[in-house]
């Protein structure tokens, strides 16, 4: 039985706005045609505000403002240390308001408040990391003694188009904004339409930190309208996108005629492989957290658990019992471990997969709406076992609190199962055999692998996937590479060494 708690009335944070505008050239503005769209509270599915619905003309205005700030403004020409100071002020402001940011993020996205607080603090850390990195960075230089010096000159590229998802939106926005701004670019941010509230806070934060007008611009709206206009805009040479793989394919196609730089972190169906010699208690704790934290709405969720047959029955029994004890509750309550899914459209998708799963596996926990929550997008943590590798719930990304557990016999079987999907974002391996751990990690088709660990990442390491899980990497110097031109400058020392043409014999 999933633990629940019912509140007597709908929870509303204090001082909620009733509308959200775009932010262009340092000013809050409505859409050119005045259009808006409703934004829902996931815990009740009631409309709590209307946001400006951006179209092509609104994106054009934002890109023009960003282009002016890049061509004529001070930001790209500041020393890295000067930009760093501004970004540290951004981090200070975010840290000082983490409780309020978490409250609004939790309300808007349905994330449990304790997890939303962690994401707000991580957003501040992202800005600090890139503020420090851009100052400490050393560019390559090569010498041919007495003849030549060659060095790399990094330059910001221009207007960066940033398209962000609705899961942990504020943190993921910071992950793109930090390096884009640190390297001297100007930006146009198009946040997900399901969760515009926390994105709208960036304008005030950047103003207070002293970012020049036009460096940061924000256009709300639907992906097929505002997002597509940003992707197709000829004055936006870079697009960084996080979202589902099908949308990534569309962006890839629509950006191709402009030969834009693309960084795309897409979907995942990550395996968590548990060998018989693993610490089962640690593996169960980690895999419970790995798929049910953030409401299961996380790209790196270990949503396929592969368990060696010798310990399979024990693992399944213990896992199902622990999943049934996960606390589903209102997002704003500190005891809540799984809150409400972001939107009724997504809730219907997840519930559809649960119905499919009833025909593809054995249900041992959850399976639908928990008791005591007649409204809102609540889904009980759901566990299917004995799932075949050709099942849809094994192959397709659900992006909710649903997990498929499958047995295996040998290391070769585990690797075939782990690699047997179109995705390749993350993988988790649990074993006390050091040789097996490293051998498996190097053979699995995943951009990131954790050995006997939950998803704990050093910001210096690359983040990205293979196959249908993405294109390119961000994180550490990979982000600096993406947001800068690397111009090679060659200097001849002494006499030039030129072949002689045109002087006869």
């Amino acid at each position: 039985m999933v633990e629940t708690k019912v509140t007597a009335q709908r929870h509303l944070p204090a001082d909620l706005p009733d509308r959200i505008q775009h932010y262009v050239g340092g000013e809050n503005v409505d859409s050119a045609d005045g259009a808006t769209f409703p934004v829902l509270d996931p815990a009740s599915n009631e409309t709590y505000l209307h946001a400006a619905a951006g179209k092509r003309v609104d994106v054009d205005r934002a890109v023009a403002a960003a282009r002016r700030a890049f061509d004529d403004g001070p930001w790209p020409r500041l020393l890295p240390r000067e930009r760093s100071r501004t970004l540290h002020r951004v981090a200070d402001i975010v840290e000082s308001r983490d409780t309020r940011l978490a409250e609004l993020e939790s309300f808007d996205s349905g994330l449990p408040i304790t997890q939303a607080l962690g994401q707000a603090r991580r957003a501040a850390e992202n800005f600090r990391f890139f503020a420090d990195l851009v100052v400490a960075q050393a560019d390559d230089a090569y010498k041919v003694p007495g003849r030549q010096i060659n060095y790399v000159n990094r330059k910001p590229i221009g207007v960066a188009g940033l398209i962000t998802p609705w899961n942990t939106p504020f943190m993921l926005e910071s992950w793109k904004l930090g390096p884009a701004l640190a390297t001297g670019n100007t930006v146009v941010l198009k946040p997900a339409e399901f969760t515009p509230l926390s994105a709208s806070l960036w304008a005030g934060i950047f103003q207070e930190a002293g970012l020049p007008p036009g460096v940061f611009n924000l256009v709300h709206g639907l992906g097929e309208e505002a997002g597509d206009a940003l992707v197709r805009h000829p004055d936006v040479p870079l697009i960084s996108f996080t979202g589902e793989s099908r949308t990534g394919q569309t962006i890839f196609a629509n950006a191709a005629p402009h030969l834009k730089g693309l960084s795309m972190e897409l979907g995942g169906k990550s395996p968590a492989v548990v060998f018989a010699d693993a610490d089962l208690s640690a593996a169960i704790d980690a895999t419970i957290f790995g798929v049910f934290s953030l409401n299961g709405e996380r790209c790196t969720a270990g949503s396929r658990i592969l368990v060696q047959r010798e310990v399979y029955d024990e693992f399944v029994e213990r896992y199902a019992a622990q999943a049934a004890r996960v606390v589903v509750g209102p997002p704003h309550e500190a005891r809540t471990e799984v809150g409400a899914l972001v939107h009724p459209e997504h809730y219907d998708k997840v519930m559809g997969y649960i119905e499919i799963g009833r025909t593809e596996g054995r249900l041992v926990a959850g399976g639908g709406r928990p008791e005591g929550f007649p409204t809102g997008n609540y889904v009980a943590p759901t566990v299917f076992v004995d799932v075949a590798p050709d099942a849809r719930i094994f192959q397709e990304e659900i992006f909710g609190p649903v997990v498929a557990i499958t047995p295996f016999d040998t290391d070769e079987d585990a690797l075939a199962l782990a690699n047997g999907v179109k995705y390749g974002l993350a993988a988790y391996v649990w074993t006390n055999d050091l040789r097996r751990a490293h051998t498996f990690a190097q053979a699995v088709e995943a951009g990131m692998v954790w050995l006997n660990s939950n998803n704990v990442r050093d910001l210096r390491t690359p983040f990205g996937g293979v196959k249908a899980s993405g294109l390119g990497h961000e994180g550490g110097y990979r982000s600096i590479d993406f947001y800068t031109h690397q111009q090679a400058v060659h200097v001849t020392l002494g006499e030039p060494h030129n072949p002689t043409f045109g002087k006869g014999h």
Side-chain angles (χ1 to χ4, degrees):
M1 181 71 178
V2 175
E3 212 177 316
T4 61
K5 181 179 179 180
V6 182
T7 50
Q9 58 185 10
R10 181 185 181 201
H11 171 78
L12 292 173
D15 302 320
L16 274 177
D18 57 9
R19 67 177 186 139
I20 290 177
Q21 297 174 285
H22 310 304
Y23 183 74
V24 177
E27 296 182 354
N28 293 305
V29 296
D30 291 324
S31 294
D33 63 0
T36 64
F37 62 90
V39 183
L40 309 182
D41 158 20
S44 70
N45 286 328
E46 295 182 27
T47 298
Y48 75 91
L49 62 75
H50 286 79
K55 308 289 197 310
R56 184 171 302 278
V57 63
D58 304 298
V59 171
D60 288 346
R61 285 192 301 173
V63 172
R67 188 75 223 184
R68 284 193 301 273
F70 185 80
D71 291 339
D72 304 324
W75 187 251
R77 282 157 279 280
L78 293 177
L79 293 173
R81 173 63 70 188
E82 294 174 304
R83 290 198 297 269
S84 176
R85 290 191 185 103
T86 300
L87 298 187
H88 273 294
R89 286 196 292 271
V90 170
D92 291 340
I93 295 167
V94 171
E95 275 187 349
S96 70
R97 299 175 189 170
D98 58 0
T99 301
R100 175 63 171 171
L101 287 168
E103 179 186 31
L104 296 181
E105 181 94 312
S106 174
F107 175 77
D108 196 31
S109 69
L111 285 178
I113 184 66
T114 54
Q115 296 169 43
L117 182 61
Q119 297 298 312
R121 291 169 177 167
R122 169 67 179 275
E125 181 60 26
N126 285 339
F127 271 92
R128 291 210 190 284
F129 175 81
F130 287 110
D132 290 338
L133 188 63
V134 77
V135 174
Q137 177 190 310
D139 289 324
D140 295 330
Y142 307 94
K143 296 184 293 182
V144 181
R147 298 187 62 179
Q148 195 174 43
I149 295 174
N150 313 276
Y151 66 89
V152 175
N153 177 41
R154 286 186 185 268
K155 300 189 291 185
I157 294 177
V159 180
L162 312 179
I163 303 176
T164 52
W166 43 256
N167 60 314
T168 64
F170 192 78
M171 188 281 289
L172 288 174
E173 288 151 11
S174 74
W175 178 240
K176 299 181 187 297
L177 288 165
L181 295 174
T183 48
N185 297 281
T186 58
V187 304
V188 177
L189 171 65
K190 207 300 283 185
E193 56 266 32
F194 287 172
T195 53
L197 182 59
S198 61
S200 69
L201 304 175
W202 285 115
I205 291 169
F206 286 132
Q207 277 184 331
E208 189 173 337
L211 197 72
V215 174
F216 169 78
N217 303 273
L218 170 65
V219 178
H220 296 284
L222 305 183
E224 56 267 31
E225 294 176 342
D228 187 61
L230 188 59
V231 168
R232 294 175 185 268
H233 201 291
D235 288 335
V236 179
L238 290 176
I239 295 290
S240 178
F241 168 74
T242 299
E244 66 175 2
S245 299
R246 282 178 297 178
T247 305
Q249 291 174 319
T250 301
I251 289 173
F252 191 96
N254 292 341
H258 304 284
L259 300 176
K260 294 178 185 282
L262 292 175
S263 176
M264 296 197 290
E265 190 261 288
L266 306 176
K269 191 70 175 177
S270 300
V273 184
V274 182
F275 288 94
D277 66 341
D279 180 336
L280 280 195
S281 294
I284 289 169
D285 283 345
T287 51
I288 288 277
F289 181 83
V291 73
F292 298 133
S293 60
L294 306 181
N295 297 345
E297 298 165 328
R298 56 185 305 165
C299 53
T300 55
S303 55
R304 294 182 298 138
I305 305 178
L306 314 176
V307 184
Q308 200 156 26
R309 201 173 300 273
E310 294 95 307
V311 294
Y312 182 76
D313 290 341
E314 179 186 355
F315 184 94
V316 164
E317 181 180 359
R318 292 173 61 183
Y319 192 96
Q322 189 160 330
R325 294 193 296 268
V326 171
V327 179
V328 178
H332 70 281
E333 293 188 357
R335 70 193 294 271
T336 294
E337 295 170 329
V338 171
L341 300 189
V342 68
H343 192 273
E345 181 181 307
H346 185 59
Y347 171 84
D348 290 342
K349 173 192 170 184
V350 172
M351 292 296 284
Y353 272 109
I354 290 175
E355 291 309 303
I356 292 169
R358 293 179 186 276
T359 69
E360 295 184 331
R362 178 164 59 93
L363 179 67
V364 295
R369 180 182 290 278
E371 291 183 20
F373 291 91
T375 60
N377 306 316
Y378 293 97
V379 176
T382 298
V383 182
F384 290 103
V385 302
D386 307 339
V387 179
D390 60 349
R392 288 185 63 187
I393 61 169
F394 187 96
Q395 291 287 331
E396 300 175 17
E397 183 178 42
I398 300 173
F399 219 65
V402 181
V403 67
I405 305 180
T406 300
F408 71 87
D409 291 300
T410 66
D411 292 31
E412 292 75 18
D413 293 339
L415 185 64
L417 289 168
N419 290 342
V421 299
K422 69 179 181 178
Y423 298 103
L425 187 58
Y428 308 86
V429 182
W430 290 87
T431 177
N432 283 316
D433 184 326
L434 183 64
R435 178 181 294 178
R436 167 191 276 160
H438 287 287
T439 300
F440 197 96
Q442 293 176 31
V444 72
E445 294 169 350
M448 299 166 286
V449 184
W450 280 268
L451 304 179
N452 296 323
S453 171
N454 198 359
N455 187 329
V456 179
R457 198 172 68 82
D458 189 313
L459 294 178
R460 296 169 293 183
T461 59
F463 188 100
V466 298
K467 301 195 291 189
S469 288
L471 176 70
H473 291 82
E474 296 187 29
Y477 284 114
R478 282 81 175 178
S479 292
I480 303 299
D481 288 344
F482 178 69
Y483 290 106
T484 55
H485 285 305
Q486 298 175 61
Q487 178 190 56
V489 179
H490 307 276
V491 182
T492 296
L493 304 176
E495 292 296 320
H497 300 277
N498 294 330
T500 301
F501 277 22
K503 290 188 177 180
H505 298 289

